[in-house]
Amino acid sequence: MSKLIPGRATAIKPRFAGLALCVSLVTGVSLAVQLPRAALAAAPGVTLSGNQFLLAGQPFVPHGFSSIALLNSAWCTSKSTAAAASNLGSAELNAAMNTWNANTLRFQVSQPVLAGPNGAAYAQQVESGADLALNAGFAVDISMQDQSLACGPAEPLPSQETETAWATLISNTALADNPSVMFELFNEPQNSPASTPATDPGQETWADWLNGGRPIQPTSSQHWLAYTPVGHQDLVTYLRTTLNVTNVLIADGASSAEHLEGMPILSDPGSSYQIAYAVHPYFYTPGLSAWNTRWGYLTSTNAVIATEWNYTASDCRTSAQTIAPQFLSYMRNTVNVGILGQALDDFGSGHLVADTGLDPTQCGTASPGGGYDFMHDYMDTFSPVPAVPTGLQLTLAAKSINLTWNAVTDNAGVTGYNVYRNGSLLATAAGPSYSDTTVVPGTTYTYAVAAFDAAGNVSAPSATESMAFSDTTPPTQPTKLALTPATTSIALKWTASTDNVGVSGYRIYRGSTLIATVKGNVTTYTSTGLKANTTYSYHLVAFDAAGNLSKASATVSAKTK
């Protein structure tokens, strides 16, 4: 939060102490439209493939805002975070998505509170706030903060407290179960982007960022206590192997995330590489060469995201205002890096948002700032996210479960739909229907659908619907039963039955007694142990895996010799 630190938070009376799922953080007013949490968890969320973010398997550029609302709690509060918390609700989220074209929200959370005695309660508060955004269709980034608005001392690198905070958040919430949630390891490390390891305990370099393990101490102007940092590599390993987190992880660069040059690439012990790198390019006025050197170079090989950016009222009529359109075009068109503006809800600060209605700031107006440029030169270049499909219905057919839903007809230019079954992408459909012919009798399936457009924007998934595939169609009647008698046996032969799924077998009766069962691919049987010169009658019934029985074949008799 390089440009959002007005001073250490004070212990004023909190606006709220806890949250219930899907309610406004202060007023208790329910969101107008809520999607079941399971619907979001069911769909594959944010992943990485090389240098590309994906959402539900489609190319995805996370763009939107950082939020300070979830920094506010009974244990850490300030005027700005309390105001942000009171405004977090359906109106704000709708404005962020529909007015600003946002598809991602980054929630800053307090490391000291999570690691403290009230960490579990605070973790659930964080989860409730994140759920508001997830249920509204946003991807979410949870960013671990140790700066003043988080009531922390602004330690320069992760610590044991950072691990404790992540453990508290993961173990007390289901956030890690939702692949639409990303985790930003530690906000704005303060190490320099120097490649040579330092020996001075008052200086930190990339070696300390990567490995930690070397005692460091503050300068006279800093307020944290001497400690031994935890390296980012150890932090990644801890989340992956101890906390079993599989979500995308985001690692901030050096010098308050201003620099990525020289950064060691982290190893990911997970099943695939799911680590992105964050830059906070507040100081962008040096121009194109500096942009390429500081972070642009990395975008050819790794996923990069700007998890904070703005320019403020004091930057109006300076080079920051003048060069902002060129910078935003570079981020969008040259390196295609997502930007999360700082901040959604720091109202009246002269940053991006002028008021609780999310009107943009603009130089030369009564609410100066960089909001207008951010909206029109960056956010408006993205297509609107398609609306969430509604009306999903399932019907049972002989060999399939058929899905239909209401077509999405908003201005997003929907080109198709992702169909999810039991949490995995099953297929894509060009229109609002799909027939799942790969179902197995006796199995229950859960489905959801999401709309996507030509630009790769994917809606939040629909509410889920479930159905058991129960085959109710019996096999056809066995025919042409023929008997060939011998002295003490009779051989049976018949024409096979057919079934919509498959014939599992035949039950063979002598008289009214079941004497044998054979497999569905068998059409002969020999009845043995019979008396000579005796008449016996036979019929058979086909059955399938669902237990459906055919009509009995004609009864045929024969006399042994």
Side-chain angles (χ1 to χ4, degrees):
M1 301 187 298
S2 291
K3 289 199 169 185
L4 192 61
I5 306 176
R8 188 170 182 83
T10 55
I12 63 175
K13 184 178 180 181
R15 294 295 300 273
F16 59 92
L19 302 173
L21 180 62
C22 297
V23 296
S24 172
L25 293 186
V26 172
T27 63
V29 178
S30 297
L31 284 177
V33 178
Q34 300 287 342
L35 297 180
R37 181 192 178 91
L40 290 154
V46 179
T47 56
L48 304 178
S49 178
N51 64 348
Q52 177 71 63
F53 283 87
L54 304 176
L55 179 64
Q58 303 288 333
F60 173 66
V61 179
H63 55 279
F65 287 100
S66 185
S67 167
I68 63 173
L70 299 189
L71 288 169
N72 196 66
S73 72
W75 311 283
C76 175
T77 189
S78 68
K79 182 178 179 180
S80 58
T81 61
S86 70
N87 204 55
L88 181 57
S90 60
E92 181 176 78
L93 296 175
N94 288 337
M97 179 172 287
N98 298 319
T99 302
W100 286 83
N101 264 348
N103 64 13
T104 302
L105 291 182
R106 172 187 187 247
F107 288 108
Q108 302 171 20
V109 300
S110 170
Q111 173 179 302
V113 178
L114 280 169
N118 299 295
Y122 176 55
Q124 292 166 19
Q125 173 182 310
V126 169
E127 180 179 37
S128 295
D131 277 337
L132 294 177
L134 290 165
N135 290 342
F138 291 95
V140 164
D141 170 23
I142 302 295
S143 175
M144 193 64 69
Q145 308 268 325
D146 189 49
Q147 294 164 313
S148 63
L149 287 183
C151 296
E155 290 179 338
L157 289 168
S159 63
Q160 289 295 327
E161 183 182 74
T162 312
E163 290 191 348
T164 301
W166 280 119
T168 301
L169 184 68
I170 300 304
S171 62
N172 287 282
T173 71
L175 288 170
D177 296 332
N178 193 322
S180 291
V181 178
M182 301 173 282
F183 296 116
E184 191 171 350
L185 298 170
F186 183 79
N187 182 62
E188 296 190 344
Q190 299 299 305
N191 61 287
S192 77
S195 57
T196 302
T199 57
D200 184 343
Q203 296 179 350
E204 304 86 39
T205 68
W206 279 125
D208 300 296
W209 179 96
L210 178 64
N211 297 316
R214 182 178 70 94
I216 59 175
Q217 62 188 30
T219 65
S220 59
S221 62
Q222 295 171 321
H223 304 290
W224 47 275
L225 302 176
Y227 72 106
T228 300
V230 170
H232 278 74
Q233 186 59 66
D234 286 341
L235 193 54
V236 167
T237 301
Y238 180 71
L239 264 72
R240 289 284 191 246
T241 62
T242 301
L243 301 182
N244 298 313
V245 171
T246 60
N247 309 59
V248 169
L249 304 180
I250 300 174
D252 286 21
S255 300
S256 299
E258 286 284 348
H259 296 266
L260 300 184
E261 71 269 28
M263 181 182 63
I265 299 300
L266 297 166
S267 297
D268 192 340
S271 59
S272 64
Y273 197 83
Q274 298 295 307
I275 302 175
Y277 296 90
V279 61
H280 292 180
Y282 286 111
F283 302 106
Y284 56 92
T285 54
L288 179 62
S289 177
W291 306 337
N292 286 329
T293 299
R294 284 166 50 194
W295 69 85
Y297 78 96
L298 190 62
T299 62
S300 64
T301 55
N302 292 82
V304 175
I305 179 173
T307 53
E308 290 185 19
W309 177 83
N310 64 35
Y311 75 78
T312 69
S314 62
D315 294 318
C316 291
R317 297 180 300 279
T318 71
S319 59
Q321 179 188 359
T322 304
I323 204 170
Q326 179 185 346
F327 164 77
L328 293 169
S329 176
Y330 169 84
M331 296 294 277
R332 180 70 176 102
N333 301 310
T334 303
V335 292
N336 199 26
V337 169
I339 300 176
L340 306 181
Q342 177 73 4
L344 174 73
D345 41 23
D346 188 29
F347 310 116
S349 63
H351 292 172
L352 300 178
V353 173
D355 50 48
T356 57
L358 303 195
D359 293 312
T361 57
Q362 183 177 4
C363 292
T365 72
S367 299
Y372 180 87
D373 286 342
F374 183 53
M375 174 184 282
H376 290 277
D377 293 329
Y378 185 79
M379 299 294 281
D380 280 355
T381 65
F382 293 93
S383 301
V385 176
V388 177
T390 60
L392 177 61
Q393 294 185 345
L394 310 180
T395 56
L396 188 64
K399 296 184 179 182
S400 64
I401 294 177
N402 297 328
L403 295 75
T404 60
W405 57 90
N406 297 328
V408 175
T409 58
D410 62 15
N411 63 351
V414 170
T415 57
Y417 301 87
N418 289 332
V419 180
Y420 306 102
R421 187 179 73 181
N422 295 348
S424 298
L425 180 64
L426 174 65
T428 59
S433 64
Y434 179 76
S435 181
D436 182 5
T437 59
T438 63
V439 289
V440 176
T443 305
T444 298
Y445 298 95
T446 299
Y447 297 90
V449 295
F452 61 84
D453 61 21
N457 297 307
V458 183
S459 76
S462 68
T464 56
E465 294 290 340
S466 298
M467 176 173 282
F469 180 63
S470 54
D471 176 17
T472 60
T473 302
T476 59
Q477 181 184 31
T479 60
K480 298 181 180 180
L481 176 61
L483 309 181
T484 303
T487 303
T488 58
S489 65
I490 295 177
L492 292 75
K493 184 177 181 180
W494 61 92
T495 298
S497 299
T498 60
D499 185 70
N500 65 314
V501 177
V503 175
S504 296
Y506 299 90
R507 296 174 183 173
I508 301 170
Y509 295 85
R510 187 170 62 226
S512 60
T513 302
L514 176 66
I515 61 169
T517 300
V518 298
K519 293 181 179 180
N521 60 349
V522 175
T523 57
T524 61
Y525 176 76
T526 300
S527 176
T528 60
L530 306 179
K531 294 180 180 180
N533 197 33
T534 304
T535 299
Y536 295 93
S537 298
Y538 296 87
H539 70 276
L540 53 128
V541 175
F543 62 91
D544 61 20
N548 299 306
L549 301 178
S550 73
K551 293 182 179 180
S553 70
T555 299
V556 180
S557 299
K559 187 176 183 179
T560 54
K561 297 178 179 179

